[in-house]
Amino acid sequence: MTTSASAGPRVRPRAEIAQRTLRTDRWWLAPSLTVFFLVAWLAYGVVRVFLQENYWVAEYGYLTPFYSPCTATGCIPEAAHFGRFTPDHPLIPYAPLSLPFLLLFRLTCYYYRKAYYRSFWLSPPACAVPDTHARYTGETRFPLIFQNAHRYAFYLAFVITAINTYDAILAFFGERGFGFGLGNVILLINVVMLWGYTASCHSCRHIMAGRLTHFSRHPVRYRAWSLISKLNARHMQFAWITLATLAITDFYVMALAAGWITDVRFIN
Ligand code: FES
């Protein structure tokens, strides 16, 4: 691409070849799998969020992350760790203070942008495969300019992950007092992975030391930045792993609450 001060950006035309792409590998496989798994996960999530039942196991104090914090007036009182004050309506989730922000966090995530720009918007679907759109405006206009709000979504997601951690700790103290079962292990793995995803966020890395020019004068921030940078290299993996751990955790809690299975108990 070349630029001129008077005429603005000038895009070089594509090489004149008959083929859409010269790639002969299965470049379409990754975007197709991304569509399949994201749509499947969203379908499951929407059904679960609006089911408004089987989200709490009183005996062991297990609360699914899809209903945390449970603030609707219709929530089971013991599951509402922060009070019940939001409307109880079939079209309003029981956790209306977290789910929209978590959705915003994932929608504006740098990794998920790549995933859905490629897989749903085909812009472009893969390297060396042409964009299906004639023009490219990037994230400079409405609505995509709101992608730049990711840093603020990160702050909120940080708080919500802390709430999920609090739920996982409370789950050691059910109706029968202190106990430890497979559900605790699943809840703990989920929050550890959620912290991995949250801490490996590009915004978190930038907040930690993105503007520092002298690392030597900020050794603690430098150490934190170095650690986050290592996690950041695995951000895509955390993005997918947390989708899996969230769904597994929710399904396990639902299966227990519905009486389909019983928890495997190690202590009490
Ligand atoms: S959560 Fe993915 S970049 Fe911030």
Side-chain angles (χ1 to χ4, degrees), residues 141-154:
R141 301 181 181 184
F142 179 83
L144 291 184
I145 194 162
F146 285 109
Q147 301 281 31
N148 297 303
H150 184 63
R151 164 183 287 237
Y152 303 102
F154 164 77

Side-chain angles (χ1 to χ4, degrees), residues 96-267:
L97 300 184
S98 60
L99 297 183
F101 301 114
L102 290 177
L103 184 63
L104 183 72
F105 187 47
R106 300 239 172 194
L107 272 179
T108 58
C109 163
Y110 287 71
Y111 165 65
Y112 284 111
R113 288 188 217 178
K114 172 190 162 189
Y116 63 78
Y117 286 174
R118 286 194 170 191
S119 309
F120 291 87
W121 197 239
L122 307 178
S123 180
C127 294
V129 178
D131 199 319
T132 55
H133 301 82
R135 281 169 54 95
Y136 174 75
T137 58
E139 294 168 344
T140 58
R141 301 181 181 184
F142 179 83
L144 291 184
I145 194 162
F146 285 109
Q147 301 281 31
N148 297 303
H150 184 63
R151 164 183 287 237
Y152 303 102
F154 164 77
Y155 293 137
L156 295 167
F158 188 93
V159 174
I160 296 164
T161 304
I163 291 173
N164 290 152
T165 308
Y166 180 65
D167 293 337
I169 293 169
L170 285 187
F172 285 102
F173 306 94
E175 283 179 342
R176 303 198 302 199
F178 178 79
F180 179 56
L182 181 59
N184 295 102
V185 175
I186 291 173
L187 285 166
L188 280 178
I189 290 174
N190 181 51
V191 292
V192 168
M193 290 299 126
L194 285 178
W195 278 119
Y197 176 65
T198 309
S200 65
C201 168
H202 292 64
S203 290
C204 179
R205 182 169 175 266
H206 183 74
I207 290 163
M208 199 51 68
R211 285 177 179 273
L212 295 184
T213 49
H214 300 287
F215 279 143
S216 57
R217 290 189 199 155
H218 304 274
V220 175
R221 290 181 69 184
Y222 175 65
R223 273 174 184 265
W225 179 85
S226 302
L227 176 64
I228 289 170
S229 296
K230 284 187 187 142
L231 291 175
N232 182 255
R234 299 270 177 271
H235 192 57
M236 180 183 81
Q237 285 91 330
F238 280 120
W240 283 104
I241 288 169
T242 47
L243 287 188
T245 59
L246 281 166
I248 290 168
T249 306
D250 177 75
F251 188 82
Y252 189 78
V253 171
M254 174 172 67
L256 285 177
W260 303 337
I261 57 172
T262 54
D263 194 22
V264 178
R265 303 301 291 175
F266 309 121
I267 300 174

Side-chain angles (χ1 to χ4, degrees), residues 10-30:
R10 186 159 56 83
V11 180
R12 280 201 186 127
R14 182 175 181 247
E16 290 191 12
I17 54 173
Q19 297 92 332
R20 184 162 173 252
T21 177
L22 295 176
R23 283 185 67 165
T24 55
D25 61 333
R26 293 188 295 171
W27 58 264
W28 44 266
L29 186 60

